[in-house]
Amino acid sequence: MAATAREDGVRNLAQGPRGCEHYDRACLLKAPCCDKLYTCRLCHDTNEDHQLDRFKVKEVQCINCEKLQHAQQTCEDCSTLFGEYYCNICHLFDKDKKQYHCENCGICRIGPKEDFFHCLKCNLCLAMNLRGKHKCIENVSRQNCPICLEDIHTSRVVAHVLPCGHLLHRTCYEEMLKEGYRCPLCMHSALDMTRYWRQLDNEVAQTPMPSEYQNVTVDILCNDCNGRSTVQFHILGMKCKFCDSYNTAQAGGRRVSVDQQ
C-alpha cells in the first residue's frame, strides 16, 4: 500500500512514566514564547493559545535533577539520557524509532531512512517502492488534507498517496472508503477498482433496461482517464470506452436515441 514517511512518532503509554502521551523523554522543554515548561510542543499547544516553535527551543529541564540547561541529549549534571533519539534542529527527544532528520522536509521523520526518498517535486519523503511509480504534484504535502482540512506535512498521522497524486491522512483515507471511492479533489478512483468494474459488467449484463431505454445513448466523461465517449445508457452505470472504468459522469446529460443517429 502506498505510504509516506510520517513525522516523529507515538509513544506507547505502557512503557513507563517518562514523557507524555506523545513522546518518551526525560526532560521538559522551556517554551521560548512564554518561558513555561512542557514535556513537548503538542502538550504546550493544547494548553496555550499559541504554538511552540520547535526550532527556537534553547533550554530543557531534566526531570530527575531539575537542572535547567541548554538543549542536549544528556543531562550535564546527573547524566540522565533525555532521549534515545535527539535532533538538535527540531529538538525532538524520543525513544529510538529509526528517526532521521530530512533537510528538504525540514523536520524529523520515522524511518529507517533507507526505506524512504525525498521527492523534490512533491516535496515529501515517500516510500522507496513509490520511486518512479507515483504521480508528482508540486508541493502536494504543503496542502491541507481535503477531508479534515488539517496540515499534512507536519502531521504525526501517516499520509496516504492516491493514484492521482493527491494526499490524505491515512485515517481520513480509511474513513472515506467507508462511503466512497473517489478522490475528493479530482474524483479519480482512489484505489484499483478493476475487480469491482468486472463485477459491475456482470450486473449490467444481467439487468436489461426497459424497452424505452434500450436504444438510448448518453455522452459521458470519465473521471479516471478524462476520456469522452458516447455509450448506451444504463441505470447501474456507464462504462468508459477507453479505460473500462465506471467512474463516469454524464457530460451535458443529453440522451440521443440510436434510431435518430
Side-chain angles (χ1 to χ4, degrees):
M1 182 176 288
T4 66
R6 61 175 173 168
E7 185 195 2
D8 8 280
V10 181
R11 171 179 170 264
N12 185 336
L13 293 178
Q15 291 177 346
R18 291 163 45 107
C20 60
E21 63 178 301
H22 308 110
Y23 301 104
D24 185 335
R25 57 181 55 166
C27 65
L28 303 176
L29 306 180
K30 183 178 179 181
C33 42
C34 56
D35 289 335
K36 295 180 181 179
L37 294 170
Y38 281 97
T39 305
C40 76
R41 62 183 179 85
L42 300 174
C43 292
H44 170 279
D45 294 351
T46 299
N47 290 280
E48 302 294 340
D49 59 1
H50 57 279
Q51 293 186 329
L52 188 157
D53 186 339
R54 72 186 86 180
F55 305 109
K56 292 183 179 180
V57 171
K58 301 297 183 183
E59 295 179 296
V60 298
Q61 183 183 71
C62 177
I63 64 171
N64 290 324
C65 70
E66 299 186 349
K67 168 72 174 180
L68 187 66
Q69 58 203 277
H70 67 278
Q72 56 193 328
Q73 190 168 14
T74 304
C75 179
E76 62 188 37
D77 270 15
C78 68
S79 300
T80 294
L81 184 66
F82 294 150
E84 295 174 345
Y85 174 82
Y86 170 58
C87 174
N88 61 7
I89 299 175
C90 297
H91 302 298
L92 170 65
F93 300 84
D94 201 6
K95 62 180 291 187
D96 184 12
K97 300 171 185 172
K98 307 299 182 183
Q99 299 96 322
Y100 66 96
H101 182 86
C102 176
E103 293 185 2
N104 289 306
C105 285
I107 54 179
C108 290
R109 300 290 190 186
I110 289 290
K113 184 176 182 179
E114 57 269 21
D115 289 348
F116 298 90
F117 74 99
H118 186 90
C119 176
L120 293 176
K121 186 171 183 179
C122 294
N123 206 358
L124 181 69
C125 286
L126 301 173
M128 287 298 295
N129 60 10
L130 291 177
R131 185 186 287 273
K133 298 179 181 179
H134 71 284
K135 182 177 180 180
C136 289
I137 297 180
E138 190 167 0
N139 287 324
V140 66
S141 73
R142 299 314 199 267
Q143 302 173 10
N144 290 340
C145 173
I147 301 294
C148 67
L149 304 181
E150 295 187 1
D151 179 64
I152 287 180
H153 184 71
T154 61
S155 174
R156 297 172 69 245
V157 178
V158 176
H160 183 87
V161 186
L162 301 181
C164 57
H166 292 122
L167 298 182
L168 306 178
H169 290 122
R170 174 65 58 77
T171 50
C172 293
Y173 169 75
E174 293 172 349
E175 286 298 313
M176 182 196 74
L177 290 183
K178 295 178 181 179
E179 299 182 0
Y181 64 90
R182 298 183 180 97
C183 170
L185 293 176
C186 67
M187 302 302 287
H188 191 284
S189 294
L191 68 167
D192 185 357
M193 297 290 290
T194 303
R195 185 175 179 180
Y196 179 71
W197 297 154
R198 301 298 73 81
Q199 292 177 354
L200 198 51
D201 279 341
N202 293 332
E203 293 181 22
V204 169
Q206 297 171 16
T207 311
M209 291 293 291
S211 57
E212 60 266 33
Y213 289 101
Q214 289 182 357
N215 294 322
V216 172
T217 61
V218 62
D219 295 330
I220 62 171
L221 171 66
C222 179
N223 291 318
D224 287 339
C225 73
N226 294 322
R228 292 177 178 270
S229 55
T230 301
V231 300
Q232 186 174 356
F233 173 76
H234 200 285
I235 193 65
L236 295 180
M238 278 78 74
K239 182 168 70 172
C240 174
K241 286 185 176 180
F242 302 104
C243 68
D244 294 334
S245 169
Y246 279 90
N247 182 12
T248 61
Q250 293 189 33
R254 183 179 180 183
R255 300 173 183 176
V256 183
S257 170
V258 172
D259 296 337
Q260 296 176 352
Q261 292 184 341

